[in-house]
Amino acid sequence: MGGEDLSKIISLTQIKVACKDCNLFQLCLPVGIGDEDLELLDRIIRRKRPVRRGEHLFQVGDRFQAIYAVRSGSIKTFAPTEDGHEQVIGFHLPGELLGLAAITAEYHPCAAKALETSSVCEIPFDELEQLSEQVPSLQHQLLKVMSKEILHDQSLLMLLGKKSAEERLAALLISLSDRYRQRGFSVSEFHLSMSRNDIGNYLGLAVETVSRLFTRFQEEGLLTVQRKHIRILDLPRLRALATNVRPAPSRLSQA
Amino acid sequence: MGGEDLSKIISLTQIKVACKDCNLFQLCLPVGIGDEDLELLDRIIRRKRPVRRGEHLFQVGDRFQAIYAVRSGSIKTFAPTEDGHEQVIGFHLPGELLGLAAITAEYHPCAAKALETSSVCEIPFDELEQLSEQVPSLQHQLLKVMSKEILHDQSLLMLLGKKSAEERLAALLISLSDRYRQRGFSVSEFHLSMSRNDIGNYLGLAVETVSRLFTRFQEEGLLTVQRKHIRILDLPRLRALATNVRPAPSRLSQA
DNA sequence: CGAATCCTTGAACACCTTCAACAGGGGTGG
DNA sequence: CCACCCCTGTTGAAGGTGTTCAAGGATTCG
């Protein structure tokens, strides 16, 4: 079944995302930063050695010193709950940032863990801040990135607050697909680096429910799934599932 | 039943919060901004006339030009869902900011509506940004405020993803209580300016469930509630309800 | 005072969870 | 190289929590 694309898909984990395809580069790109300023930004970024599956980028309570950009692989962020369990906050794909929530707190309120072998850029925050004083457009873009994070969280709020299990899983798959598209990867075929457990945790569902949904989606011809390999067959219908809210909860709420 | 406090509580909606008690003032306070810089900040802030219950501060799609700080009253922010309903994003009390999510988008992704007669400060964003170029500590504080917003949203995610109806309502009441405490108001007795509908919408619950929970909390001696007037009788137990996660979802998830 | 709206209460139902057992891979060691 | 085991994922059945539907009660405002 379409094994020809497999090499491209599998190699995704090895591909290094160039800075120009990275969200972080949007810190300068749209406002037309000069090469010298770009050079300055590039200079403060540290490129860490790859982290292996299961390794932590930072732990809860670690002192906040830097934000991170994913170059390859994938990272999950999660926070401990009062009873010793965890809540998955997000999955971070190549070109995306992590650690933004810590800026206010001086220490990290959540932990970050590699879902597979990954590489990241570490951007020391105080240096970034100093640099942004010299480069106003950088400061503006920093705010933009934070604002985008707020937007993302709020759309997730809507997901968890209003949507059914079916809609939640569909929404996650669509989100992954869209984000892969932005990075130039396949929209319809990709690797789920996170476990069913992580997915259920993230979506506020039991693992069993996630499993059953994958089975149902497959029966309905929406996708095929083999372990962690996903192939979306009917993207429009999946998207409709993800965006549509339930049949209609009685009457109109006050506008 | 302790009616002596009522005048103080009811007058809450009329009290004007001085700038020094306002979150926005934290944009300068912690880093010790000089009086002249504070003067500059104060100069760009526009104090709008009071908005009445039901009036909008801004609508979805309005061009983003300013962020707002609540001086008195309360504001709800909400976004439309695909089917014409709405999702309440947050309730904003005196001293809190709104409109931060719009920075990335150029237009407002959500609307803001007064829950009661309220007054707000309008802070033109481009002027704020320009000012923050001159005042680095202001820039830092702006990032902090955004980061705090992310933290808040993420704790809400946990609420909607993992907690039972009971825990959600308890968490909202505790959140309100804590925020009132920070502003110097009563922790145990306050006015719910939002409708049950808004509460249910915000917490991802049916109105009926919210109503039943209030009744149950009352039966259990946690609080008394009369229409919109709340009096918390057992704050520690309510807090325990809010922070504790369910009995224990089977086994430990992977740390 | 009447009407509209908001809130409450009750009963049936639906969805998702929980409990339980099994299957399938991937790694390790024989 | 195969056997075994552990972990992850799947499937089934029972149960609970919250929703939906329906109706009645309270409050506010014209």
Side-chain angles (χ1 to χ4, degrees):
Chain A
M1 42 170 76
E4 318 217 305
D5 287 314
L6 272 183
S7 60
K8 188 181 175 187
I9 292 148
I10 288 171
S11 69
L12 182 148
T13 60
Q14 279 100 35
I15 291 175
K16 309 276 187 189
V17 171
C19 271
K20 66 176 169 56
D21 297 326
C22 171
N23 258 351
L24 237 206
F25 188 65
Q26 292 195 357
L27 290 172
C28 9
L29 183 77
V31 243
I33 257 193
D35 281 350
E36 61 271 30
D37 285 339
L38 184 56
E39 178 78 10
L40 287 171
L41 177 63
D42 205 60
R43 203 172 291 162
I44 67 171
I45 293 174
R46 292 180 203 147
R47 295 191 171 80
K48 306 193 77 169
R49 60 163 176 66
V51 288
R52 279 191 303 275
R53 173 185 162 84
E55 278 185 64
H56 287 263
L57 236 63
F58 49 83
Q59 293 270 13
V60 174
D62 278 1
R63 187 164 173 70
F64 169 67
Q65 290 173 320
I67 59 179
Y68 299 85
V70 181
R71 277 200 294 166
S72 69
S74 49
I75 310 284
K76 78 166 174 181
T77 48
F78 58 100
T81 59
E82 296 79 3
D83 62 348
H85 296 106
E86 66 183 47
Q87 161 76 42
V88 174
I89 308 274
F91 304 114
H92 303 263
L93 306 184
E96 299 177 342
L97 293 177
L98 352 139
L100 297 174
I103 294 177
T104 192
E106 309 217 18
Y107 60 87
H108 284 283
C110 61
K113 191 174 178 179
L115 290 168
E116 59 193 314
T117 301
S118 308
S119 62
V120 297
C121 292
E122 182 181 298
I123 304 134
F125 186 70
D126 47 359
E127 293 182 42
L128 181 63
E129 249 192 327
Q130 280 170 29
L131 181 59
S132 70
E133 286 174 26
Q134 301 162 33
V135 187
S137 54
L138 184 63
Q139 173 204 331
H140 182 78
Q141 287 307 119
L142 201 50
L143 287 176
K144 269 205 164 186
V145 169
M146 307 259 315
S147 163
K148 195 177 273 182
E149 179 83 10
I150 293 175
L151 269 182
H152 173 259
D153 286 351
Q154 292 189 350
S155 72
L156 205 53
L157 281 183
M158 222 164 292
L159 194 82
L160 294 177
K162 296 270 174 301
K163 303 211 171 187
S164 68
E166 192 180 65
E167 292 165 328
R168 294 185 202 185
L169 184 59
L172 173 61
L173 295 174
I174 289 297
S175 166
L176 290 173
S177 171
D178 285 350
R179 287 147 73 194
Y180 279 127
R181 180 176 43 72
Q182 283 172 28
R183 317 286 179 246
F185 300 124
S186 170
V187 292
S188 60
E189 203 165 358
F190 48 86
H191 182 79
L192 293 171
S193 56
M194 67 295 284
S195 68
R196 299 287 191 271
N197 214 317
D198 285 334
I199 294 176
N201 189 313
Y202 179 67
L203 296 178
L205 299 172
V207 194
E208 294 92 329
T209 306
V210 174
S211 191
R212 273 184 257 270
L213 284 171
F214 271 125
T215 305
R216 178 138 57 93
F217 282 175
Q218 198 161 220
E219 285 167 0
E220 290 173 356
L222 284 167
L223 48 78
T224 61
V225 52
Q226 283 171 23
R227 203 157 176 77
K228 293 187 177 289
H229 186 85
I230 283 280
R231 186 172 184 188
I232 298 174
L233 300 176
D234 193 338
L235 197 57
R237 200 144 59 91
L238 191 65
R239 191 179 295 275
L241 259 189
T243 51
N244 278 347
V245 187
R246 298 200 184 203
S250 60
R251 64 189 59 190
L252 289 139
S253 58
Q254 75 282 42
Chain B
M1 42 172 75
E4 320 219 303
D5 285 315
L6 271 184
S7 61
K8 188 181 176 188
I9 291 146
I10 288 173
S11 69
L12 183 149
T13 59
Q14 279 101 33
I15 291 174
K16 309 275 187 191
V17 171
C19 270
K20 65 177 170 52
D21 297 325
C22 169
N23 258 351
L24 237 205
F25 187 66
Q26 292 195 358
L27 289 172
C28 7
L29 184 78
V31 243
I33 258 191
D35 280 349
E36 61 271 28
D37 284 339
L38 183 55
E39 179 79 11
L40 287 172
L41 177 61
D42 204 60
R43 202 173 293 163
I44 67 172
I45 293 176
R46 291 179 205 149
R47 294 190 171 81
K48 307 193 76 170
R49 61 165 175 68
V51 288
R52 280 192 301 276
R53 174 185 162 84
E55 279 185 65
H56 287 261
L57 238 62
F58 49 84
Q59 293 271 11
V60 173
D62 279 1
R63 186 162 173 73
F64 169 66
Q65 290 173 320
I67 60 179
Y68 299 86
V70 182
R71 278 199 295 164
S72 69
S74 49
I75 310 283
K76 78 166 174 180
T77 48
F78 58 101
T81 58
E82 296 81 3
D83 64 348
H85 295 107
E86 65 183 45
Q87 161 76 41
V88 174
I89 308 276
F91 303 113
H92 303 263
L93 305 184
E96 299 178 342
L97 292 177
L98 355 141
L100 298 173
I103 295 177
T104 193
E106 309 218 17
Y107 60 88
H108 284 284
C110 59
K113 190 175 178 177
L115 290 167
E116 58 194 314
T117 301
S118 308
S119 63
V120 298
C121 292
E122 183 181 297
I123 304 134
F125 186 69
D126 48 358
E127 293 182 42
L128 181 64
E129 247 190 330
Q130 282 170 29
L131 181 59
S132 72
E133 287 174 25
Q134 302 162 32
V135 186
S137 54
L138 183 63
Q139 174 204 333
H140 181 78
Q141 287 308 117
L142 201 50
L143 287 175
K144 270 205 163 187
V145 170
M146 307 257 322
S147 164
K148 194 176 273 182
E149 179 83 10
I150 293 176
L151 269 182
H152 172 260
D153 286 351
Q154 292 188 351
S155 72
L156 206 51
L157 282 183
M158 219 164 294
L159 194 81
L160 294 178
K162 296 270 174 302
K163 303 211 171 187
S164 67
E166 191 179 67
E167 292 165 328
R168 293 185 204 187
L169 184 58
L172 173 61
L173 294 174
I174 289 297
S175 166
L176 291 174
S177 171
D178 285 350
R179 287 148 75 193
Y180 279 127
R181 181 176 43 72
Q182 283 172 28
R183 315 288 179 246
F185 300 123
S186 170
V187 292
S188 60
E189 203 165 358
F190 47 87
H191 182 78
L192 292 172
S193 56
M194 66 294 286
S195 68
R196 299 287 192 273
N197 214 319
D198 285 333
I199 294 176
N201 188 315
Y202 178 67
L203 297 177
L205 299 172
V207 194
E208 293 92 329
T209 305
V210 174
S211 190
R212 275 184 258 269
L213 284 170
F214 271 124
T215 304
R216 179 139 57 92
F217 282 176
Q218 198 161 219
E219 286 167 1
E220 291 171 356
L222 285 167
L223 48 79
T224 60
V225 53
Q226 281 171 24
R227 201 152 180 78
K228 293 186 176 290
H229 185 85
I230 283 281
R231 185 174 184 186
I232 299 175
L233 300 176
D234 193 339
L235 197 56
R237 199 144 60 91
L238 190 66
R239 192 178 293 277
L241 258 189
T243 51
N244 279 346
V245 187
R246 297 198 186 206
S250 61
R251 63 188 61 187
L252 289 140
S253 58
Q254 75 283 39

